[in-house]
């Protein structure tokens, strides 16, 4: 089996400008240029948000699950357009139809399936679904665009 559709952690670091504690994609699979990707985020008890959300019953904030989907979309754009983070960054533009179906907790693995629904130049519209143990945990439609760094 080829690794052509896989993106390891080192490549994620080269393609996304985010860093700890805001980098929310560990690696990716099933990359198809200009079409789709599956981002992977392993949620650990050491995440910086768990002490405050919530100490007795830790739950990953839903907004960070959406951010993880957006970062997965940015990874797809970056690789498709072969964008260098020194020249362009991928900016989140809009989000619609967000639904949360189940919470993410320490020990869970988020699998963010992101598909391009429309592309025009450096702007992309996506449909994202996040799964935990094969069950839908969150979904959203969002847009992002590659923007020149000033």
């Amino acid at each position: 089996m080829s690794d052509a559709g896989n993106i390891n952690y080192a490549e994620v670091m080269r393609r996304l400008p985010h860093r700890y504690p805001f980098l929310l994609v560990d690696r990716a699979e099933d990359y198809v240029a200009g079409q789709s990707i599956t981002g992977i985020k392993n949620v650990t008890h050491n995440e910086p948000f768990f002490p405050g959300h919530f100490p007795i019953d830790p739950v990953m904030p839903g907004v960070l699950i959406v951010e993880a989907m957006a970062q997965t979309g940015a990874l797809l754009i970056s690789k498709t357009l072969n964008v260098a983070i020194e020249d362009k960054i991928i900016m989140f533009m809009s989000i619609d139809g967000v639904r949360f179906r189940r919470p993410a907790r320490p020990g869970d693995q988020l699998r963010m399936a992101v598909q391009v629904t429309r592309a025009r130049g450096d702007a992309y519209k996506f449909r994202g679904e996040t799964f935990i143990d094969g069950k839908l945990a969150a979904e959203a439609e969002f847009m992002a665009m590659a923007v020149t760094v000033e």
Side-chain angles (χ1 to χ4, degrees):
M1 181 172 142
S2 170
D3 278 349
N6 295 329
I7 299 172
N8 65 23
Y9 188 73
E11 186 172 357
V12 169
M13 296 289 286
R14 284 193 311 271
R15 296 202 172 277
L16 295 181
H18 308 81
R19 295 297 177 260
Y20 178 85
F22 214 66
L23 179 60
L24 298 172
V25 179
D26 295 328
R27 62 187 174 85
E29 303 172 341
D30 308 324
Y31 166 77
V32 178
Q35 294 181 28
S36 61
I37 193 170
T38 300
I40 308 295
K41 164 66 177 156
N42 295 304
V43 180
T44 73
H45 192 64
N46 296 320
E47 305 291 347
F49 44 81
F50 282 142
H53 199 270
F54 303 98
I56 305 267
D57 186 19
V59 175
M60 183 176 184
V63 68
L64 294 180
I65 296 172
V66 172
E67 175 65 23
M69 282 191 278
Q71 288 182 20
T72 300
L75 189 58
L76 172 62
I77 294 174
S78 175
K79 190 165 175 78
T80 296
L81 299 177
N82 197 25
V83 171
I85 59 174
E86 300 80 22
D87 301 326
K88 288 190 175 187
I89 58 172
I90 313 303
M91 300 292 287
F92 199 24
M93 294 173 56
S94 69
I95 186 159
D96 293 300
V98 178
R99 299 282 187 269
F100 299 105
R101 308 291 183 191
R102 61 186 297 125
R105 301 184 186 282
D108 286 340
Q109 183 181 77
L110 306 182
R111 297 183 60 82
M112 288 86 57
V114 174
Q115 296 182 341
V116 173
T117 59
R118 191 174 63 211
R120 179 175 291 157
D122 287 351
Y124 285 73
K125 185 169 184 180
F126 301 97
R127 166 107 178 118
E129 296 178 319
T130 298
F131 296 89
I132 300 170
D133 293 328
K135 295 179 182 161
L136 186 63
E139 59 188 314
E141 293 181 0
F142 54 97
M143 288 186 66
M145 181 175 189
V147 178
T148 302
V149 173
E150 295 182 14

